[in-house]
Amino acid sequence: MSGPFRAGERDGADALITARIERARSGAGGLVVLRGATGTGRTAVLEAAAEHAAECGLRVLRVRCSSEGTAVPFAAVRHLLAPVPEFTGTAADADDRADAARLWRLLCSYAAERPLLLAVDDVHLADDSSRHWLREAARHIDRLAVLVVATERSQYDIEPRPAGLTQPLSPSLVRTHTLAPLGDRAAADVVREAFPTAGPRWTAACVRAAAGSPLLLHALLDDLGGAPQDDLPPTGEPPLPETCAALYPGAYPAAVSWWLHSAGPATAEVARCLAALEQAWPPEPAVDDPSGKAASDPVHLLSEATGADPVRIAGWLAAMTRLGLLRPDATGRPRYAHPLLRDAVLTGWPETSRQAAHRAAAQAMLHQGERAEAIARHLLRAPGGEPPWALRVLRDAVTVAVHDARPDDAVGYLRRALDEPLPDAQRQRLLTELGSLHYASADVPAAIARLAEAQHLAAEPRSRVRTAVALGTALAGRGEVRTALEVLHRTQGQLSGHPDLARTVQTAAALLSDEDPAARQRVYRWLCEAADTSPELVGTAGQALLVRYAATAALISAQEAMTRMRDLLARPTDPLAEPFLLGTAAAVAQWADELDEADRLVEQGLAGQRPGLLHPMRHALLNTRADIAASRGDAVGLLTAYFGAGTTVGPVESRSGPTNRDATALLALVHTSRIEEAQRFAAGFDLSGAAENFELNRFLYARGVLRVTSGDPAGALHDFLECGRRQSARGEFSPVVTPWRTAAAQCRLALGGGPDAVTLAAEELRLARVWNTPRTVGRALRVLGAATGGRRGLELAEEAVATLRPASAATGMELVRALLAQGRQLHAAGERTHARDCLREAAELADGKGAVGMVTLAGQALRQSGARNPVVSRTGPGALTGSERRIAELAADGLTNTEIADLLHLARRTVETHLTSTYRKLRIRRRTGLAEALDRDPSGTAGLTASSGQ
């Protein structure tokens, strides 16, 4: 173990004692008091002083004071002088004054023989008579060869301590030295001496856990043994344990226990209460995290929990922070220096005491108006049976966690809420919500178990419907579609007196049957028959499903579908059925290219969803939202919403059952030419166990597009045909679901199968004219024109462009593809000038949508046509005009449009126009991207999206 004067940490004490020893040898005695907090090494310094005095020829007498001997007068002094063989018969007299005088005479007689060092350890624990005797001795030993060196605990405690030994003495009679906590550098040296192979992070963790205390540091190192000297894993050092259970033989928790014992019961209670409360605090926020708000005043909480004086608690917190045992986090809240230290403080504290501390803290925070989630964290550690406000707080905390997309936290609060005494109806609602949150956390078995438990509790009909719909959704999500339909059918049979609710359950069953082709066929057969004979049995949401069914079966046009949908939306609808109606209408509106209306319906549907409650239409609405973005050609925005900004796509964990959003994300990766990422992403899905639903068909189509782009038309054709086979088996013939025929036709063309391509494209055109939207018809015309070729093919290509151009805002990339096809066919027909115009328009539209692959294709076609100018306008900072650059720089500095207009004496509309052009040239979507974009590519040459044709 390291010595007390290591690395200069104790040089001041060493110099002081050495000087006083020399004075004592010359006959001038004195008193030196070494002060310090528990564990700072007072005893070690005293022992070193005694050894040094002995080496200098002084007789050393020692005593270690204890609170157990305070009942006997002069106990400490008698024990101090007992080793002197020359003096015997020191039994106590009845008169304390006589006893004190005799002890003084004994000391003087012995000091006359030889210089003397009296080493008194822990003088604060000595009996009052001994402390008084030592003070009196200090007043008279300046002419004796006697040096008294005493150690005294100097630490702020909750219970005020008696006056110190030196308080009544004149400063001229005593020399005091306060031992500071061990510095980080000196502590790190001790760690490295014990474990030479320890790395910086492990060493720093040990230093923090020791908290400046040599006692704790050596105890910790003794417990850790040779752990860091073992073979370290390739990822780095094993972390320092955060629990004392991992330490052996337990010297560290024993040292912490002794520190608490030395501080007294009141201080120990506050220290343990703080450790318990800290366990309920959220993880320490970053310094620059504005969301990391501190909880209620910890002084007030500790006072409420322990009954201690808040003034003393505040002083104790400040003192412990100064010593290094506590440190403030980024919010200013005191925390223990290391989790291991906190765990050691809690070691041996009964669970009932911890629970009482959390209960008191929760009560105090409630009265202070603290946030619900901060209170709920303490309730999680208190047993059930709290006052009624506890349930309200836990429910509010669930709401916050769900809103912040933290389902795991919400699950914890709900579990705790269920520990409260609840009536069956309320328990049923909480279990339904808990099961829903388990599902959101991907714990499907737990979700089904909780929802099944809720279903068997008594509840009012609407709650039973919510539970049945949630349970059915969870079962269908695990592939148990028939079980889900049985649950819903059984619930429907219990609602004979509630026809509206029964129809809602029936609609949910119809929606979930999409996962099972046979069940879907039965359900929709019944719906169609019922709609013809008894429409009232189907309900508004059920009729909306039939409109969607007719649209996918190529039985009605988009105009007719939207007319019927708008009529259904105008009818009064039960709130429980409304999500089904809105979600279905949004999907049909997206197919009909009524994208703004579809957007509105999606947002209305999502806003009406009950947070934290599992519902099948939430998934459907999110699917439709992704489809809307894809329809608009907003691949960049779609990828940002799916993967997050700036995220590089790696392989997904192997899983079955890709969703529609997975398919749209895969297509967006392809359209933005992130082919390698798209391949990694697609390879992560195992389709062998995927459900037979439309989402699988969409993913097959998306993977086919990826294979075409990757140069594998044969593999792509297999995917497209398999998609078509599965889609036709479901009775879904319309290209609004997936345009697999045109995609397969293009693969046939690439593989030399012209007649087959014409057949497929002609069939899609026939079906597209039934639905009759510019997107579906224009796409079919484009592909049929390419398959037909010649003058007739060119006419079809021109018709495709003419069909798509008026609806270009709603048809996304389809106009780009049609222009590209028309340009190629015009070039083949020898009309090069007209061809270049089409190809440049295609390139500019594609560039505006971030479709790098389409820009490249247009560039290749332009070069083949002999074009010499760049494919698209220059982009990047170098492409900005002087005015655009000046306005962009001011906007990047944080000025508003109005402020910029006033500064430059421009109209506000002019500023907005310049910024819109700037965003397009810099390829950013919002103001926050200006600063970074302006610093990139100062020459502007890297902004060319394709090389010029030669």
Side-chain angles (χ1 to χ4, degrees), residues 73-74 78 89-103 105:
F74 300 104
R78 292 178 187 282
T90 58
D93 293 336
D95 185 355
D96 286 350
R97 291 186 177 182
D99 213 8
R102 191 156 68 93
L103 289 170
R105 290 195 299 272

Side-chain angles (χ1 to χ4, degrees), residues 406-422:
R406 291 182 285 111
D408 291 340
D409 289 340
V411 164
Y413 300 137
L414 271 177
R415 282 177 173 169
R416 172 60 183 81
L418 287 166
D419 290 339
E420 297 295 319
L422 302 169

Side-chain angles (χ1 to χ4, degrees), residues 191 194-195 198 202-203 205-207 209-210 216-230 238-244 246-253 338 340:
V191 175
F195 302 107
W202 193 87
T203 299
C206 290
V207 170
L216 297 184
L217 179 59
H218 289 295
L220 176 61
L221 297 178
D222 288 344
D223 279 344
L224 292 172
Q229 291 179 312
D230 296 341
L240 196 67
E242 294 190 1
T243 172
C244 293
L247 300 179
Y248 182 81
Y252 181 80
H338 192 276
L340 185 63

Side-chain angles (χ1 to χ4, degrees), residues 320-628:
M320 295 304 100
T321 301
R322 173 73 175 173
L323 290 174
L325 290 156
L326 301 178
R327 59 179 180 81
D329 63 16
T331 67
R333 187 164 35 196
R335 294 178 184 262
Y336 280 93
H338 192 276
L340 185 63
L341 176 58
R342 181 187 65 209
D343 187 70
V345 170
L346 286 172
T347 299
W349 205 38
E351 181 64 22
T352 54
S353 298
R354 303 187 194 191
Q355 293 172 349
H358 287 292
R359 184 182 298 109
Q363 181 81 45
M365 293 170 72
L366 179 73
H367 291 160
Q368 285 187 318
E370 185 54 73
R371 294 174 294 118
E373 201 168 1
I375 304 172
R377 292 192 189 101
H378 291 283
L379 291 175
L380 289 177
R381 297 176 179 273
E386 297 294 325
W389 59 262
L391 181 60
R392 185 183 70 252
V393 167
L394 290 166
R395 290 305 311 273
D396 290 345
V398 170
T399 301
V400 173
V402 170
H403 180 269
D404 293 344
R406 291 182 285 111
D408 291 340
D409 289 340
V411 164
Y413 300 137
L414 271 177
R415 282 177 173 169
R416 172 60 183 81
L418 287 166
D419 290 339
E420 297 295 319
L422 302 169
D424 281 353
Q426 193 170 21
R427 184 172 296 277
Q428 193 267 356
R429 291 194 295 271
L430 292 183
L431 283 169
T432 300
E433 193 170 351
L434 179 57
S436 299
L437 290 170
H438 274 306
Y439 192 87
S441 300
D443 190 353
V444 179
I448 292 175
R450 292 293 192 175
L451 291 169
E453 183 181 353
Q455 194 186 31
H456 289 91
L457 292 175
E460 53 93 19
R462 303 185 77 82
S463 293
R464 291 209 307 272
V465 170
R466 291 189 183 97
T467 303
V469 170
L471 178 56
T473 305
L475 288 167
R478 197 166 67 174
E480 300 179 27
V481 180
R482 297 186 180 181
T483 305
L485 297 180
E486 289 175 5
V487 167
L488 293 170
H489 179 72
R490 185 167 59 248
T491 303
Q492 185 180 353
Q494 300 169 354
L495 298 168
S496 57
H498 305 274
D500 287 346
L501 297 179
R503 284 192 292 268
T504 298
V505 175
Q506 174 184 283
T507 303
L511 186 69
L512 293 178
S513 70
D514 276 351
E515 304 291 324
D516 185 310
R520 182 178 186 272
Q521 188 176 11
R522 290 195 306 271
V523 168
Y524 278 95
R525 184 187 302 117
W526 183 89
L527 282 175
C528 291
E529 293 173 355
D532 290 338
T533 59
S534 305
E536 71 279 358
L537 296 178
V538 177
T540 305
Q543 292 179 43
L545 286 179
L546 287 176
V547 174
R548 190 192 70 168
Y549 178 77
T552 61
L555 299 176
I556 59 175
S557 68
Q559 182 178 0
E560 181 182 354
M562 288 306 299
T563 299
R564 291 170 59 179
M565 277 296 184
R566 287 166 181 148
D567 176 64
L568 293 171
L569 287 166
R571 299 180 188 178
T573 306
D574 184 272
L576 288 182
E578 188 176 43
F580 296 99
L581 175 60
L582 292 172
T584 306
V588 173
Q590 183 267 320
W591 292 338
D593 287 335
E594 300 285 353
L595 301 185
D596 290 340
E597 186 169 357
D599 251 335
R600 179 181 60 79
L601 291 168
V602 166
E603 297 311 316
Q604 185 180 349
L606 290 173
Q609 291 280 309
R610 188 169 174 177
L613 193 62
L614 181 59
H615 197 287
M617 284 315 299
R618 176 171 178 79
H619 179 70
L621 287 164
L622 292 175
N623 275 341
T624 302
R625 177 188 275 175
D627 287 338
I628 293 169

Side-chain angles (χ1 to χ4, degrees), residues 10 15 20 30 105 130 204 244 255 273-274 330 374 407 437 472 491 592 620 655 696 710 797 807 829 881 901 923:
R10 303 293 186 256
R20 304 310 291 186
R105 290 195 299 272
S130 294
C244 293
C273 184
L274 174 62
L437 290 170
T491 303
R655 56 179 179 175
L696 173 60
S710 303
T881 66
R923 294 190 177 185

